[in-house]
């Protein structure tokens, strides 16, 4: 049996695949030395090398603009470190905690807020550190939900995932296990019955949150991978990042949300781009994001409406930043409909 094609991790390999022209390689050496690069065959097949603005390429192929670090950008833009009581755990909110099992991803997004911490050479979470992380979770009964993240937790073997899920299941106060992953779109062949079985927690709720940013990512293979999870009783949500030149127009964003719902995936978050170093070329303005959310409202099914959120720099958590539709004056309220019309609504008498 032939081995599965491996991700393209070197600039030379991207050049040989026709994804990067030779005259750009020298300029990109510094980018690749600073930030990890990997493009899976599934994602490489979606890139149109003839399109200089290809939305898949913008997400995964290195760009010299990544060397332009702005003063407001930081290595830890959402403040993971400030809320990490032990290695591998981020406990920012009272009732939930992140468990970062690995720093490896199948693909490395050029806008990643953990881009300084992830990569194939990053230190893995050792057995001792995993034991300490699970010990912390067990010692804090307020933790109702544990979110497996990284890196991408689904790069791990089903055996290791099954062990972690079993150990979390044994903690009485942990009722929900949530898995954040790009694997179903980036490397759908990894979603096997064995892996799905590993994620199922007896007596607990398991959710998988898919990271997808463009409707082209939801290929037939990706849809089959998601169906394997959902048909096994694992509900799926989605999170997307608002990205300039990728999904920052109403047609593309609407198509993405509809495609997710067609796959039985509920849109959950639309993230405003984080202030990660070297990512300003991919960020939009908040006003642009609010305009896009207005464009979705009323013209796209309510099932297709994610929450537009900003992760406040410094570790202060997420806040919704979508447009407002309600104002108040002396006569009561004015409510704006999706066409921009204003309507009076009386105050409670």
């Amino acid at each position: 049996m032939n081995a599965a094609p491996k991700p393209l991790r070197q600039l030379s390999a991207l050049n040989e695949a026709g994804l990067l022209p030779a005259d750009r390689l020298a300029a990109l050496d510094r980018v690749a030395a600073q930030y990890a690069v990997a493009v899976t065959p599934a994602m490489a097949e979606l890139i149109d090398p003839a399109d200089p603005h290809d939305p898949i390429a913008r997400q995964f192929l290195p760009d010299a603009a990544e060397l332009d670090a702005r003063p407001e950008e930081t290595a830890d833009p959402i403040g993971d470190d400030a809320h990490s009581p032990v290695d591998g755990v981020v406990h920012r909110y009272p009732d939930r905690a992140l468990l970062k099992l690995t720093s490896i991803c199948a693909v490395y997004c050029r806008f990643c807020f953990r881009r300084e911490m992830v990569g194939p050479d990053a230190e893995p979470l050792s057995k001792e550190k995993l034991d300490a992380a699970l010990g912390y979770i067990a010692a804090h009964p307020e933790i109702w939900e544990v979110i497996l993240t990284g890196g991408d937790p689904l790069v791990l073997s089903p055996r290791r995932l099954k062990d972690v899920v079993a150990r979390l299941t044994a903690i009485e106060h942990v009722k929900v296990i949530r898995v954040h992953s790009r694997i179903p779109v980036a490397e759908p062949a990894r979603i096997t019955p064995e892996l799905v079985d590993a994620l199922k927690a007896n007596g607990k709720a398991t959710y998988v949150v898919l990271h997808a940013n463009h409707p082209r990512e939801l290929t037939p293979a990706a849809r089959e991978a998601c169906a394997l999870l959902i048909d096994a009783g694992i509900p799926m949500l989605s999170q997307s990042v608002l990205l300039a030149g990728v999904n920052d127009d109403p047609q593309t964003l609407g198509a993405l949300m509809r495609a997710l719902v067609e796959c039985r995936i509920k849109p959950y978050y639309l993230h405003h781009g984080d202030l990660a170093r070297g990512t300003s070329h991919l960020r939009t303005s908040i006003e642009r994001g609010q305009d896009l959310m207005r464009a979705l409202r009323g013209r796209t099914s309510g099932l297709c409406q994610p929450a537009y959120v900003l992760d406040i720099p410094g570790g202060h958590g997420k806040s919704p930043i979508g447009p407002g539709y309600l104002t108040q004056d002396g006569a009561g309220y004015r409510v704006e409909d999706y066409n921009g019309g204003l309507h009076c609504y009386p105050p409670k008498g």
Side-chain angles (χ1 to χ4, degrees):
M1 188 168 76
N2 293 329
K6 294 184 178 180
L8 306 172
R9 300 185 183 277
Q10 305 295 328
L11 297 184
S12 57
L14 292 169
N15 168 249
E16 290 168 8
L19 301 178
L20 283 180
D23 59 2
R24 289 182 57 197
L25 298 186
L28 294 174
D29 278 340
R30 286 176 57 205
V31 177
Q34 189 165 346
Y35 303 116
V37 174
V39 182
T40 59
M43 289 294 97
E45 288 177 7
L46 295 181
I47 295 173
D48 179 1
D51 181 0
H53 307 293
D54 183 83
I56 309 301
R58 280 183 67 79
Q59 293 185 67
F60 302 117
L61 296 185
D63 190 310
E66 295 175 55
L67 299 174
D68 177 18
R70 303 294 178 88
E72 67 272 17
E73 296 174 341
T74 67
D76 183 18
I78 68 168
D80 275 356
D81 290 347
H83 296 277
S84 184
V86 298
D87 285 347
V89 171
V90 177
H91 192 185
R92 180 179 290 110
Y93 303 103
D95 75 337
R96 55 209 183 274
L98 304 180
L99 178 56
K100 298 194 289 186
L101 293 175
T102 179
S103 296
I104 296 172
C105 296
V107 291
Y108 293 103
C109 304
R110 310 322 301 168
F111 49 88
C112 178
F113 64 89
R114 292 196 181 114
R115 65 199 318 241
E116 314 248 1
M117 309 164 201
V118 299
D121 299 324
E123 182 181 349
L125 194 65
S126 65
K127 178 184 181 302
E128 293 74 21
K129 289 181 178 179
L130 177 60
D131 290 344
L134 292 169
Y136 175 88
I137 292 168
H140 287 76
E142 72 273 22
I143 298 177
W144 171 81
E145 177 183 29
V146 174
I147 300 161
L148 304 185
T149 182
D152 193 317
L154 296 191
V155 302
L156 300 175
S157 69
R159 179 193 59 78
R160 187 169 180 199
L161 286 167
K162 192 176 187 71
D163 175 68
V164 171
V165 169
R167 293 175 70 179
L168 287 170
T169 301
I171 301 173
E172 172 62 25
H173 56 264
V174 174
K175 304 298 184 183
V176 178
I177 299 170
R178 193 196 322 170
V179 182
H180 284 195
S181 180
R182 244 197 185 293
I183 288 293
V185 295
E187 204 168 4
R190 277 186 177 268
I191 307 299
T192 62
E194 185 182 12
L195 184 141
V196 172
D197 181 68
L199 296 179
K200 297 178 75 172
N202 186 29
K204 310 288 171 115
T206 302
Y207 290 79
V208 170
V209 179
L210 173 71
H211 177 180
N213 298 317
H214 193 276
R216 269 169 42 199
E217 295 175 47
L218 292 161
T219 62
R223 291 173 185 245
E224 289 178 14
C226 293
L228 199 61
L229 289 160
I230 295 166
D231 289 343
I234 299 176
M236 290 189 70
L237 308 171
S238 75
Q239 58 178 350
S240 304
V241 181
L242 182 60
L243 298 167
V246 175
N247 55 20
D248 63 333
D249 64 87
Q251 294 74 27
T252 301
L253 193 60
L256 170 62
M257 298 305 157
R258 287 191 181 99
L260 289 164
V261 171
E262 290 166 11
C263 293
R264 296 175 286 168
I265 300 169
K266 175 66 183 80
Y268 179 35
Y269 280 145
L270 175 65
H271 292 271
H272 188 72
D274 294 307
L275 296 177
R277 286 197 292 215
T279 62
S280 63
H281 61 295
L282 290 169
R283 277 196 305 278
T284 70
S285 67
I286 289 176
E287 291 78 13
R288 179 59 178 158
Q290 292 174 330
D291 287 345
L292 288 165
M293 291 303 297
R294 283 182 179 275
L296 289 184
R297 178 65 58 187
R299 298 171 180 83
T300 309
S301 167
L303 292 172
C304 299
Q305 308 291 324
Y308 180 39
V309 295
L310 172 70
D311 223 322
I312 303 169
H316 302 289
K318 298 180 186 69
S319 285
I321 57 170
Y325 298 88
L326 184 71
T327 57
Q328 188 173 10
D329 57 29
Y333 301 96
R334 288 182 177 273
V335 186
E336 181 182 350
D337 66 33
Y338 74 95
N339 288 314
L342 291 175
H343 308 272
C344 294
Y345 188 85
K348 184 176 180 181

